Amino acid sequence: MRVAIVGATGLVGGTFLKVLEERDLGITDLLLFASSRSAGKKINFRGKEYTVEELNENSFKNRDIDIALFSAGGGTSLKYAPLAAKEGVLVIDNSSAWRMDKEVPLVVPEVNPEEAFKHKGIIANPNCSTIQCMAPLKVLEKYGIKRVVYSTYQAVSGTGYKGVIDLEEGLKGNPPKTYPHQIVNNCLPHIDVFLEDGYTKEEKKMVDETRKILGLPNLPVTATCVRVPVINSHSVSINVELEKDFDLETVKKELAEYKGIVLLDDSNKNIYPLANDATGKDEVFVGRVRRDNSVKYGLNLWTVADNIRKGAATNAVQIAELFCKNI
Ligand code: A2P
């Protein structure tokens, strides 16, 4: 299998390489693309040196590439993903550019793998905060999901290297270059741009993508997305209202047994998911599972996942793995 990585020098791009090194996709050749700034840079993969190429209109022509993992921003994906698909490359795109396109499947492999096979050349990787909420909500689907309220606590790595630099420099007393306010000692209720209705684009992504992935186009969902001074791993509080009654211990068991979920829920021992513990892992950690007594059948849960791995690179590689035997 010949795999290309677009945005190979970025935070997610580097993690694509790490995850690909850990898993066996049967890669026979690797092509690395980034902007002109990085052309010529050498990157090591499994003991072999690869040279980063500048991405251009001809990058995918006659290169016999099977799969291209994109994480180089929405503009790059909008322009280059269709060019790659036209050359027969299966594009798995981490940007938000194609996620809501009706022709493009939006896939979390533990939740809706069957959608991936309906692709027409491009498959979208969902938003990082959305990904980690999908498996827990899938578990609750049998009780009828009536309404979802998300509150997120998102790490600076979600902004790429520049977010991490703002936090690290801020800790030395330097002003922010990327965020509109200092991130040190602050929580910024502002991720991506503001829309006319007062929500941010990140909040809209969580609403729209949840509906698309769960196949519930009219599901009432709302979100407040907050950037917090954490280097890596997003935390999300999920409040769910259900149609049917449930047994709390059964729900915990169902969460614990679901693929890709690790239940960490023992308040007597102060055990609950934490960003520090999730970093470097591929699972979604779930805890603080408790009834919401303000409604008839309500549930609160806390999820944490490595936003660069499960929230981006790992999820994309898991999508690629669905095709390993069929390509
Ligand atoms: P480069 O390092 O050459 O700028 P991050 O995760 O830090 O946001 O990284 C974004 C990735 O997208 C980097 O690999 C970056 O390459 C790449 N990138 C940004 N703009 C372009 C572009 N116009 N064409 C190709 N790659 C791009």
Side-chain angles (χ1 to χ4, degrees):
M1 169 135 71
R2 281 166 66 83
V3 173
I5 295 186
V6 177
T9 51
L11 202 47
V12 174
T15 311
F16 280 148
L17 291 166
K18 233 188 270 173
V19 176
L20 288 172
E21 273 188 331
E22 293 163 4
R23 293 166 175 251
D24 188 17
L25 271 81
I27 297 177
T28 50
D29 204 4
L30 192 64
L31 294 99
L32 304 178
F33 299 104
S35 78
S36 55
R37 291 180 289 273
S38 307
K41 198 178 159 190
K42 309 272 186 222
I43 292 182
N44 200 289
F45 179 79
R46 288 194 171 151
K48 196 175 153 191
E49 215 171 58
Y50 294 84
T51 305
V52 177
E53 300 175 45
E54 179 184 357
L55 183 69
N56 64 47
E57 275 91 349
N58 297 319
S59 295
F60 304 98
K61 276 199 184 130
N62 304 320
R63 306 291 293 272
D64 206 17
I65 300 165
D66 296 302
I67 291 186
L69 304 173
F70 273 60
S71 193
T76 304
S77 293
L78 266 183
K79 181 170 175 192
Y80 293 96
L83 294 179
K86 208 171 121 225
E87 298 300 323
V89 179
L90 172 58
V91 174
I92 301 172
D93 180 33
N94 189 51
S95 83
S96 62
W98 296 97
R99 289 180 192 150
M100 294 314 295
D101 190 303
K102 287 199 169 55
E103 305 276 285
V104 175
L106 185 63
V107 178
V108 178
E110 295 91 346
V111 174
N112 62 343
E114 66 290 346
E115 287 298 311
F117 298 100
K118 299 177 186 166
H119 78 84
K120 295 186 170 138
I122 305 173
I123 298 174
N125 208 36
N127 163 268
C128 44
S129 299
T130 312
I131 289 178
Q132 71 187 69
C133 300
M134 291 304 96
L137 288 177
K138 187 73 184 170
V139 170
L140 300 175
E141 201 178 47
K142 63 195 267 197
Y143 301 103
I145 300 173
K146 205 167 158 188
R147 178 171 183 252
V148 178
V149 181
Y150 293 125
S151 307
T152 75
Y153 305 69
Q154 298 184 222
V156 294
S157 61
T159 317
Y161 281 124
K162 50 194 190 300
V164 177
I165 289 167
D166 256 21
L167 177 53
E168 286 177 349
E169 289 299 311
L171 286 167
K172 296 180 203 156
N174 295 321
K177 286 200 172 130
T178 297
Y179 298 123
H181 304 281
Q182 72 166 45
I183 185 70
V184 174
N185 274 329
N186 259 340
C187 298
L188 310 182
H190 175 183
I191 300 184
D192 209 332
V193 295
F194 278 103
L195 305 171
E196 273 188 3
D197 61 5
Y199 283 84
T200 60
K201 203 168 161 197
E202 184 82 352
E203 290 161 350
K204 182 169 164 47
K205 285 178 213 166
M206 288 196 81
V207 172
D208 294 344
E209 295 179 23
T210 295
R211 290 174 175 158
K212 180 167 174 175
I213 297 162
L214 296 179
L216 300 169
N218 301 312
L219 181 68
V221 187
T222 189
T224 301
C225 293
V226 181
R227 187 74 68 195
V228 295
V230 165
I231 292 278
N232 195 56
S233 289
H234 291 350
S235 305
V236 182
S237 153
I238 313 178
N239 175 259
V240 204
E241 196 176 345
L242 300 165
E243 303 276 358
K244 296 183 205 149
D245 200 4
F246 57 89
D247 174 65
L248 191 60
E249 291 311 310
T250 306
V251 167
K252 285 189 194 178
K253 192 164 170 281
E254 288 165 346
L255 286 164
E257 286 172 355
Y258 200 80
K259 49 187 177 301
I261 293 181
V262 174
L263 186 74
L264 293 177
D265 200 359
D266 188 350
S267 48
N268 291 325
K269 293 185 183 147
N270 298 338
I271 291 175
Y272 33 75
L274 293 170
N276 256 333
D277 300 336
T279 288
K281 312 247 170 64
D282 288 323
E283 296 90 354
V284 171
F285 297 87
V286 179
R288 302 291 325 278
V289 184
R290 62 212 192 275
R291 273 187 183 273
D292 169 7
N293 291 315
S294 69
V295 290
K296 203 165 171 196
Y297 305 130
L299 194 68
N300 277 309
L301 24 101
W302 176 253
T303 74
V304 181
D306 185 325
N307 53 299
I308 301 296
R309 290 183 72 100
K310 182 56 188 165
T314 300
N315 198 74
V317 172
Q318 287 170 329
I319 295 173
E321 283 173 341
L322 295 172
F323 293 89
C324 278
K325 291 187 187 76
N326 309 23
I327 202 149

